[in-house]
Amino acid sequence: AQSVTQLDSQVPVFEEAPVELRCNYSSSVSVYLFWYVQYPNQGLQLLLKYLSGSTLVKGINGFEAEFNKSQTSFHLRKPSVHISDTAEYFCAVSDRSARQLTFGSGTQLTVLP
Amino acid sequence: DADVTQTPRNRITKTGKRIMLECSQTKGHDRMYWYRQDPGLGLRLIYYSFDVKDINKGEISDGYSVSRQAQAKFSLSLESAIPNQTALYFCATSDHTSGANVLTFGAGSRLTVL
């Protein structure tokens, strides 16, 4: 079984500042990794995914994440945030059978003017 | 129209009542899921279905049941609702041919049990 830990439940940051949202996972097998975003009063939508290949993954809205196998991490970064990035962000993992997706507890990113 | 539609979007009910949340999709995906979201706990899987005849329990299936009426429809039932089932419920779909579990979510159904 897999598990996901999002180390920060809330991250406040000023507009145009960089941000990193941390995610660590636990698994005894190879995994797929995902970041989803949930805007207020909406469902989740895929931000980016790591399946294989390059460990640096680029997603929508200027976000990127780096898969680090030795540290079992998949941190999400953006060099300059906007007010519109205010949302809750979820890291998720599945094994290569892709039968189930396990989510972390979420990180609320609040971008301040 | 949304690719994944959940009804109702909001529901308030009383302890002991039977509740059904419905989900329909136009994505043509074969896999469907029900998740529950609680503050600070993220999303937890209740049930999932890989086709009409394949239904599986997830992490927190106790107190819930599901029905896959057709490839496009997957409903979640609470036979006798209790207050700790108050939560935001999400339906999601995926396509096994994608090779990875990329989910498409509905907008959610907020359930309050008094």
Side-chain angles (χ1 to χ4, degrees):
Chain A
Q2 295 77 43
S3 65
V4 179
T5 302
Q6 292 185 242
L7 298 163
D8 305 296
S9 61
Q10 301 205 26
V11 174
V13 62
F14 287 106
E15 194 173 17
E16 298 184 6
V19 70
E20 178 179 82
L21 305 184
R22 297 180 293 169
C23 172
N24 286 90
Y25 69 93
S26 174
S27 177
S28 58
V29 298
S30 296
V31 296
Y32 297 136
L33 293 159
F34 307 82
W35 276 98
Y36 282 82
V37 59
Q38 183 181 27
Y39 297 105
N41 300 314
Q42 295 184 26
L44 283 73
Q45 55 184 279
L46 182 69
L47 200 56
L48 50 78
K49 62 183 184 289
Y50 171 78
L51 305 183
S52 64
S54 173
T55 58
L56 183 62
V57 180
K58 294 189 183 298
I60 61 172
N61 300 336
F63 284 92
E64 63 181 30
E66 187 159 18
F67 169 56
N68 188 318
K69 187 175 181 180
S70 63
Q71 297 187 4
T72 60
S73 67
F74 191 54
H75 301 332
L76 182 70
R77 301 185 182 98
K78 187 170 182 178
S80 176
V81 295
H82 303 290
I83 297 288
S84 59
D85 292 323
T86 293
E88 189 154 24
Y89 292 78
F90 292 93
C91 183
V93 63
S94 75
D95 63 25
R96 293 296 174 108
S97 74
R99 287 186 65 84
Q100 294 188 36
L101 197 59
T102 300
F103 286 85
S105 56
T107 297
Q108 174 65 45
L109 173 65
T110 301
V111 181
L112 307 167
Chain B
D1 287 342
D3 293 328
V4 182
T5 302
Q6 293 184 231
T7 56
R9 292 293 313 280
N10 287 283
R11 181 73 183 270
I12 300 173
T13 191
K14 294 182 179 180
T15 297
K17 294 292 187 181
R18 184 178 187 274
I19 294 296
M20 180 180 287
L21 306 180
E22 297 184 335
C23 177
S24 63
Q25 53 120 342
T26 58
K27 299 283 289 183
H29 288 171
D30 52 338
R31 298 180 173 185
M32 297 187 75
Y33 308 80
W34 276 104
Y35 283 89
R36 167 179 172 158
Q37 183 180 20
D38 297 278
L41 296 179
L43 278 77
R44 293 179 291 168
L45 184 61
I46 305 172
Y47 271 96
Y48 62 103
S49 170
F50 281 5
D51 66 39
V52 174
K53 295 182 180 180
D54 178 29
I55 293 179
N56 306 276
K57 292 183 177 180
E59 179 187 353
I60 53 163
S61 60
D62 287 349
Y64 302 94
S65 62
V66 291
S67 174
R68 185 86 182 264
Q69 301 95 323
Q71 186 184 34
K73 296 183 183 295
F74 192 38
S75 59
L76 176 72
S77 294
L78 289 68
E79 296 301 324
S80 179
I82 56 177
N84 75 2
Q85 292 177 313
T86 292
L88 184 57
Y89 291 85
F90 285 104
C91 176
T93 71
S94 70
D95 177 6
H96 82 281
T97 63
S98 71
N101 221 3
V102 178
L103 302 182
T104 300
F105 283 84
S109 295
R110 185 169 296 280
L111 176 66
T112 302
V113 184
L114 302 177

